[in-house]
Amino acid sequence: MPIIKKITESLLQEQERRKNRERSGKWNPSKFGRCYRMQYWYRKGEAITNPPDERSLRRFKVGNLFHDFVQGFIPNKNTEVMVKEHDVIGFADIVEDDCVSDIKSQHSRAFHYMERDGYDIKVEKKEMWLQVMYYARRLGKKRGRLIFVSKDDLCMAEYEDFVSRWEEKIQLELDTLRSFWDNSNLPPAEPRAYFDKKKEVYKECDYCMYKDKCKGGEK
């Protein structure tokens, strides 16, 4: 059997195991800053209508490999730290004395695009900041850090900020999600991530796991 076929079968089997895994029934910080409807359905455990294709699975796997590579330089007790409260659960990549870090891998074009003049990392990567800052706040740390890795050349860049600057944004995200949930109100379909400056639209819907379901209407 060709190696590529073995790899593909392994990735598809891994995806099938994840699909059948029981979800926590809580909010997932890795989805903060994105469409409220998507987050609502994900917490409810709705069946995914648009699973990732084979190419996306390969990209995810490569991202995981780089993620594990970076974590390999950190003591195990400081990696994949569970962070939870009554309705939220997630895992922080790296937890240090006063800082929590999240590792994000990108292809080199996207990575080096961040170095352009006028690029605002706090705006462009808002959903990533909400995730890492939630972890930092919950764990009582003062700072959050995003570690970006270029998958083509292993270039790396680190960006830090203080949790205090994100307190209001984190609380607004939680309050909004909880309001929809507590009142059993399906949130509107409103993409909030992956902004395309040229077209001036958010591209989140293009990658949504519930794209077909959402197109079916308010259900």
Side-chain angles (χ1 to χ4, degrees):
M1 180 187 295
I3 293 295
I4 183 60
K5 188 174 181 180
K6 290 183 178 180
I7 292 173
T8 299
E9 287 188 355
S10 175
L11 294 174
L12 290 172
Q13 290 170 3
E14 186 177 340
Q15 178 180 237
E16 190 67 21
R17 288 193 296 270
R18 287 198 300 269
K19 185 177 72 173
N20 296 325
R21 185 176 59 192
E22 184 177 354
R23 296 185 200 160
S24 67
K26 298 184 178 185
W27 303 116
N28 186 335
S30 68
K31 294 174 174 52
F32 285 174
R34 295 170 59 186
C35 175
Y36 293 124
R37 175 177 291 186
M38 180 277 292
Q39 295 190 66
Y40 184 93
W41 274 339
Y42 191 81
R43 180 180 178 182
K44 282 191 68 178
E46 292 287 335
I48 293 172
T49 57
N50 300 78
D53 58 19
E54 291 181 11
R55 183 173 183 274
S56 295
L57 292 175
R58 292 195 293 271
R59 286 193 297 102
F60 295 158
K61 188 63 176 181
V62 172
N64 290 338
L65 293 173
F66 277 90
H67 180 277
D68 294 344
F69 173 76
V70 175
Q71 281 190 327
F73 294 93
I74 308 297
N76 289 339
K77 65 182 179 66
N78 297 114
T79 62
E80 296 301 315
V81 176
M82 181 184 288
V83 184
K84 65 178 182 178
E85 53 183 305
H86 70 284
D87 61 349
V88 184
I89 188 169
F91 291 86
D93 288 345
I94 300 172
V95 178
E96 299 171 284
D97 290 342
D98 66 343
C99 184
V100 174
S101 301
D102 245 26
I103 304 164
K104 306 294 184 183
S105 60
Q106 297 181 315
H107 60 76
S108 59
R109 183 178 177 183
F111 178 90
H112 293 292
Y113 183 83
M114 297 189 301
E115 300 172 347
R116 292 187 177 186
D117 291 340
Y119 188 91
D120 190 339
I121 192 73
K122 306 293 173 54
V123 174
E124 301 285 349
K125 303 296 184 183
K126 182 182 70 173
E127 65 277 3
M128 296 180 182
W129 284 107
L130 285 172
Q131 177 187 5
V132 72
M133 289 302 181
Y134 170 81
Y135 292 147
R137 183 178 82 156
R138 187 66 185 167
L139 293 172
K141 310 301 182 180
K142 294 182 179 179
R143 296 177 293 115
R145 177 192 298 125
L146 292 178
I147 302 173
F148 291 94
V149 185
S150 170
K151 290 185 284 190
D152 299 322
D153 49 23
L154 201 57
C155 287
M156 298 180 66
E158 300 183 9
Y159 301 88
E160 286 188 6
D161 203 0
F162 290 99
V163 176
S164 58
R165 295 175 179 170
W166 290 85
E167 286 277 5
E168 291 185 7
K169 294 182 179 68
I170 295 169
Q171 197 58 51
L172 177 60
E173 186 80 5
L174 290 170
D175 288 345
T176 303
L177 288 169
R178 286 165 175 165
S179 177
F180 285 123
W181 187 263
D182 293 343
N183 292 290
S184 299
N185 290 334
L186 179 66
E190 183 183 357
R192 305 165 60 219
Y194 317 137
F195 188 69
D196 186 325
K197 288 185 176 180
K198 291 183 179 179
K199 298 181 179 179
E200 296 188 344
V201 295
Y202 288 98
K203 298 176 64 177
E204 180 180 357
C205 293
D206 294 343
Y207 314 108
C208 182
M209 68 185 82
Y210 297 114
K211 183 177 181 179
D212 290 348
K213 177 180 176 63
C214 194
K215 283 184 176 180
E218 305 281 334
K219 298 180 181 178

